[in-house]
Structures are given as structure tokens and as C-alpha cells.
């Protein structure tokens, strides 16, 4: 089955700096890569996703990149703000509809004001 | 629109006891999933319902776990008897239709289960 590895497990950055979280996946058939953010005491929520037919996707201060050959994808947050502090989970799933989403172990991001 | 709701938010039980977790998905979402996160580890898949049918239960740890979704609406996850290693946060999520590339998972707030 799919295996998703995520690094780092914790990340502290100064407000205004950039943060990068990296993930690798094992199943070359995976084609959908979502990122979920879980703020303290709240539920995980989808913040951005990317499909294997594109290499990069941006949404304001966040962007995801995908390297299919190397089987890794990354989340980039620019101009970090205190409200970006949360646990971020990457995930991967295969095509074909009812394929389970496999999550990484999470990255706890702390943005220091 | 109401989100995914889970009950209870916290449960503290002793080893050997039984606990039942409930999940109400977003109305109209046929797909319902149970996940579990043990401290510091991944959000691990347990099982997936499509309406009332179990589509994939490959993540269920053992036969002490029983999930049901009678009528295709809310779902329950029962652990009987509970063991120490069952402690963690149990998340429920629902989605519209993965077959139509609507895979976005809408999570509930989770049930924090502590087995003492």
C-alpha cells in the first residue's frame, strides 16, 4: 500500500519568514495530493491540493509543488503569520474513485511573532 | 450548512470497557470515513462507508472494533473491549463523490479516547 513520509515533524519560523514542509510517497500510481491544516483544538481542514497533471499550484501565500519523478511534494508558506501556526498533514491517494487517502505524520508549525 | 459532527468529544474509560463513538456526516455525503491519530503519528485510515455499505475496512485494527452505518446516515464505531493501545483521537470525515473527483474530506472535530 501507499506510504507517505513527512518532514520535519516540528518547524519554528519567525513571523514573515517562509516555511517549507516536504513529503514523499511510495505509490507511483498516486495522483491526488491534498494538504490539511489542523489548528489547535479544531478539525483538520483542506487548505490546498494538487493533482499529478500539474507541477505547481498557488493560493495566495501558500503553494504546493509536485515532482512525480522523485515522488515528492512540498508545501510552501510565504510571509508566515501567527495564525499559520498549526499541524499540517500531507496526503496521497490513487485514482479510481474509492481509494483511501494516506496521510503523513504531520508537521507542527510554530510561527514566532 | 452543518459540518461533520462527532460525539462525544472526549471519552475516558478503563481497559476492558466498551465505548461507542458517533459520527453524523454532512447531509448528502454518501462517503463516510473513520480515521485515528495516535499522538505524534499519522492520521491512519480505519474504514470507508459508501452509504450503508463498507467499501474498505482494511484499516480496522482487529475484531474489537465494529463500525456500522445503518440507513446510510450516521455511523457508530464501537470498541469492545477497549485496550490501552486504542487511545488516540478518532476522526470521522465525509466526502461527496470521489468517483467524480470530489475527494475533499470534511472532518469532524474528533473524539479523544483515553483508555486507562
Amino acid at each position: 500500500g501507499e506510504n507517505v513520509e513527512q518532514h520535519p515533524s516540528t518547524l519554528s519560523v519567525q513571523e514573515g519568514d517562509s516555511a517549507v514542509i516536504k513529503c514523499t510517497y511510495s505509490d507511483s500510481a498516486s495522483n491526488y495530493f491534498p494538504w490539511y491544516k489542523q489548528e489547535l483544538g479544531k478539525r483538520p481542514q483542506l487548505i490546498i491540493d494538487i493533482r499529478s497533471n500539474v507541477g505547481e499550484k498557488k493560493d495566495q501565500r501558500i503553494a504546493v509543488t509536485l515532482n512525480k519523478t522523485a515522488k515528492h511534494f512540498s508545501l510552501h508558506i510565504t510571509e508566515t503569520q501567527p495564525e499559520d501556526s498549526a499541524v499540517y498533514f500531507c496526503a496521497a491517494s490513487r485514482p479510481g474513485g474509492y481509494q483511501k487517502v494516506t496521510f503523513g505524520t504531520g508537521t507542527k508549525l510554530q510561527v514566532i511573532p | 450548512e452543518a459540518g461533520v459532527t462527532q460525539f462525544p468529544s472526549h471519552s475516558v474509560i478503563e481497559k476492558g470497557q466498551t465505548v461507542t463513538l458517533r459520527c453524523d456526516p454532512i447531509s448528502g455525503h454518501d462517503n463516510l470515513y473513520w480515521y485515528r491519530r495516535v499522538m505524534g503519528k499519522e492520521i491512519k485510515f480505519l474504514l470507508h462507508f459508501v452509504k450503508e455499505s463498507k467499501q474498505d475496512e482494511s484499516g480496522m485494527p482487529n475484531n474489537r472494533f465494529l463500525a456500522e452505518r445503518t440507513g446510510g446516515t450516521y455511523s457508530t464505531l464501537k470498541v469492545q473491549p477497549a485496550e490501552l493501545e486504542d487511545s488516540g483521537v478518532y476522526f470521522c470525515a465525509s466526502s461527496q463523490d470521489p468517483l467524480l473527483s470530489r475527494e475533499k474530506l470534511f472532518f469532524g472535530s474528533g473524539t479523544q479516547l483515553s483508555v486507562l
Side-chain angles (χ1 to χ4, degrees), chain A residues 49-107:
Chain A
D49 56 13
I50 190 169
R51 297 186 188 277
S52 59
N53 57 345
V54 297
E56 184 176 2
K57 183 177 179 180
K58 284 186 178 181
D59 183 3
Q60 299 182 335
R61 294 186 298 108
I62 59 174
V64 289
T65 58
L66 171 65
N67 183 326
K68 286 168 53 180
T69 303
K71 289 189 285 188
H72 65 69
F73 55 114
S74 301
L75 176 72
H76 304 253
I77 306 174
T78 58
E79 302 172 23
T80 54
Q81 300 170 3
E83 53 265 37
D84 295 329
S85 296
V87 179
Y88 292 81
F89 295 93
C90 63
S93 70
R94 302 180 79 191
Y98 296 138
Q99 302 294 336
K100 65 187 177 210
V101 176
T102 301
F103 286 86
T105 49
T107 296

Side-chain angles (χ1 to χ4, degrees), chain A residues 31-32 36 38 41-46 49 51 87 89 93 96-107, chain B residues 3-5 31 35 37 40-43 45 48 50 55-56 58 91 97-99 101 103-105 107-109:
Chain A
N31 75 335
Y32 175 65
Y36 286 81
Q38 185 182 17
K42 297 189 176 180
R43 65 192 70 197
Q45 290 190 308
L46 179 75
D49 56 13
R51 297 186 188 277
V87 179
F89 295 93
S93 70
Y98 296 138
Q99 302 294 336
K100 65 187 177 210
V101 176
T102 301
F103 286 86
T105 49
T107 296
Chain B
V4 178
T5 57
N31 295 274
Y35 285 87
R37 188 180 190 221
K41 298 199 173 181
E42 75 272 28
I43 299 175
F45 171 84
H48 170 203
V50 179
Q55 175 68 28
D56 182 351
S58 62
F91 288 106
D97 192 345
L99 291 174
S101 298
E103 311 98 324
K104 178 180 177 180
L105 295 175
F107 279 88
S109 298

Side-chain angles (χ1 to χ4, degrees), chain B residues 20-23 34 49 66-69 74-78:
Chain B
T20 300
L21 314 181
R22 172 169 170 148
C23 169
W34 284 98
F49 284 100
L66 176 64
E68 295 181 323
R69 193 183 181 195
Y74 71 91
S75 174
T76 58
L77 179 64
K78 182 162 72 174

